[in-house]
Amino acid sequence: MTSVGAVGAAAAILPMATSNAAVACASAWSASTVYVKDNVASQNGHNYTAKWWTQNESPATNSSEWAVWIDNGVCGGTTNPTTPPTTNPTTNPTTPPATGTKMAAAPYIYPGWGNPPAPSTVVNATGIKAFTMAFVLASNGCNPAWDGSSGLTGGAHASTIAAIRAAGADVVPSIGGWSGNKLGPNCSTPEALAGAYQKVIDAFQLKAIDVDIENTDEFENYVVADRIVDALRIVKQKNPGVKTILTFGTSTTGPNAHGVRLIQQAKAKGANIDVFTQMPFDFSGHSDMYAATVGATEGLKNVLKSTFGYTDAQAYSHMGISGMNGLSDQQEVTTVETWTRIRDYATSKGLARFAFWAVNRDRGCAGGGVVSDCSGIAQADWAFTRVSAGF
């Protein structure tokens, strides 16, 4: 999907078509055409309806429950649009809705840590539709492997992905993280790194990947950070329907100097990143996590606006929040009520992504401290996931 900020004056917006027969085919889908909510297009003998703004996302491969297209079934014949398509508008098309790149909420789950719950238990209790799975690292050089040691298939991570999908949800892999032997430093060229990402995409037929870029070995190492950005550009060129996410830390007022540079490099290199996600926690014990999260998010919005020339709505639609439920590493407290307010803020602004660390911790243990299998606060099991599902 091309950046919403890159839609030029020559892009066509097709009107919603009406059929002259019950199974007539709408105008054929075109990769260069902009479609908005309720537009209809046909591909391979099926009609599809767009759920939101989209461009260059094939209906045939993007019509799952949480994808951009709805498969309306088999069609035949032709369809006359109610008005002729506008092929050369004199002004830019209407600003895409803020939900243009919106994804299902996807809290992190880690099969190798913290008494991992059965995915079906969580899905059935909360209605969550996606999970972010930690972590793809490097093994024997530039080879992707879960936790850097267990390969990609055949282990606990792969079986958890199968269980998630069997429960009716989907998975976004998280590549990198704070620690471990990561792909960014181990893959010596952007092409090699893109190849490693591609192996993960192909192994699980993914619709999105999350690169969690942190610490001095990636986030603060500009050679490696640029390599990651270049690799994601290659991935997007080869897989235009796969959403790319960059996740990184933040201050209470938005990206720090490393984050600002990362965003500027993404623009300069034409990486076409779909979502920039911040982790608004570990603020040295900040007492108001709602205010800190909103401050960080508004700061990111301003950086995206100044870098890409986005409107507010366009900037928000390329942003995400990835919080930490309960007690953070630095003893900050995010309650279920606070997380609900954060979700409502994210929804009202049209953010694209909503996640937290982690489902493994989404169980109550008041006074339990910062541990792997509960939140350290009083709460009902899966309360944060249930709130997130409402995003």
Side-chain angles (χ1 to χ4, degrees):
M1 178 177 177
T2 57
S3 167
V4 294
V7 178
I13 299 181
L14 293 186
M16 185 173 178
T18 56
S19 175
N20 59 14
V23 292
C25 287
S27 300
W29 173 81
S30 169
S32 62
T33 297
V34 171
Y35 299 87
V36 297
K37 185 178 185 297
D38 293 332
N39 284 171
V40 178
S42 65
Q43 187 178 34
N44 300 337
H46 279 233
N47 276 335
Y48 297 86
T49 299
K51 299 178 187 176
W52 53 74
W53 188 98
T54 178
Q55 185 181 36
N56 196 29
E57 291 183 288
S58 167
T61 57
N62 290 278
S63 56
S64 65
E65 184 174 359
W66 44 84
V68 64
W69 291 99
I70 299 170
D71 187 344
N72 299 326
V74 175
C75 65
T78 60
T79 298
N80 295 321
T82 55
T83 56
T86 302
T87 55
N88 289 293
T90 56
T91 59
N92 282 343
T94 302
T95 299
T99 54
T101 57
K102 187 171 182 180
M103 306 171 69
Y108 284 76
I109 189 169
Y110 193 0
W113 173 87
N115 187 22
S120 59
T121 298
V122 181
V123 170
N124 292 336
T126 67
I128 198 73
K129 291 297 184 182
F131 296 88
T132 305
M133 184 170 290
F135 285 107
V136 175
L137 297 173
S139 175
N140 297 318
C142 185
N143 296 300
W146 294 110
D147 291 339
S149 61
S150 57
L152 285 178
T153 60
H157 287 75
S159 63
T160 301
I161 290 174
I164 288 170
R165 287 175 168 168
D170 208 353
V171 174
V172 178
S174 183
I175 302 170
W178 177 257
S179 61
N181 189 35
K182 304 171 194 175
L183 288 167
N186 277 279
C187 299
S188 59
T189 66
E191 291 75 17
L193 183 56
Y197 294 162
Q198 191 69 49
K199 289 179 182 178
V200 185
I201 293 168
D202 293 344
F204 300 105
Q205 298 300 298
L206 299 168
K207 294 181 172 63
I209 59 170
D210 167 43
V211 177
D212 188 347
I213 178 169
E214 300 188 55
N215 218 329
T216 56
D217 56 345
E218 289 193 327
F219 189 48
E220 299 176 22
N221 182 326
Y222 292 165
V223 171
V224 174
D226 286 355
R227 186 181 302 153
I228 289 170
V229 170
D230 281 328
L232 288 173
R233 173 179 50 80
I234 295 169
V235 165
K236 177 60 75 172
Q237 289 171 344
K238 292 184 176 180
N239 311 268
V242 173
K243 288 184 170 60
T244 52
I245 304 161
L246 271 176
T247 298
F248 48 93
T250 181
S251 74
T252 57
T253 57
N256 64 15
H258 305 301
V260 171
R261 182 189 182 277
L262 183 70
I263 293 165
Q264 291 173 342
Q265 289 296 93
K267 170 66 163 62
K269 291 174 175 293
N272 197 14
I273 303 299
D274 288 290
V275 186
F276 296 91
T277 299
Q278 291 187 133
M279 296 178 285
F281 56 88
D282 288 351
F283 296 133
S284 301
H286 204 278
S287 60
D288 186 342
M289 292 304 287
Y290 175 80
T293 299
V294 170
T297 305
E298 292 298 316
L300 174 59
K301 178 201 71 175
N302 292 334
V303 173
L304 293 184
K305 287 179 66 178
S306 64
T307 302
F308 292 96
Y310 290 155
T311 63
D312 281 6
Q314 288 172 325
Y316 285 131
S317 76
H318 286 274
M319 291 165 50
I321 290 172
S322 184
M324 187 167 180
N325 58 308
L327 283 180
S328 76
D329 303 301
Q330 298 179 3
Q331 301 294 311
E332 297 146 337
V333 180
T334 299
T335 65
V336 174
E337 186 274 336
T338 300
W339 189 239
T340 303
R341 292 173 63 206
I342 292 170
R343 179 207 62 192
D344 291 347
Y345 161 79
T347 301
S348 71
K349 297 299 185 182
L351 266 62
R353 176 165 162 80
F354 198 65
F356 69 87
W357 179 263
V359 176
N360 306 61
R361 303 179 66 248
D362 196 8
R363 295 171 274 217
C365 58
V370 184
V371 292
S372 63
D373 60 354
C374 58
S375 64
I377 64 171
Q379 63 156 97
D381 287 355
W382 325 127
F384 286 86
T385 305
R386 188 174 294 106
V387 169
S388 300
F391 171 68

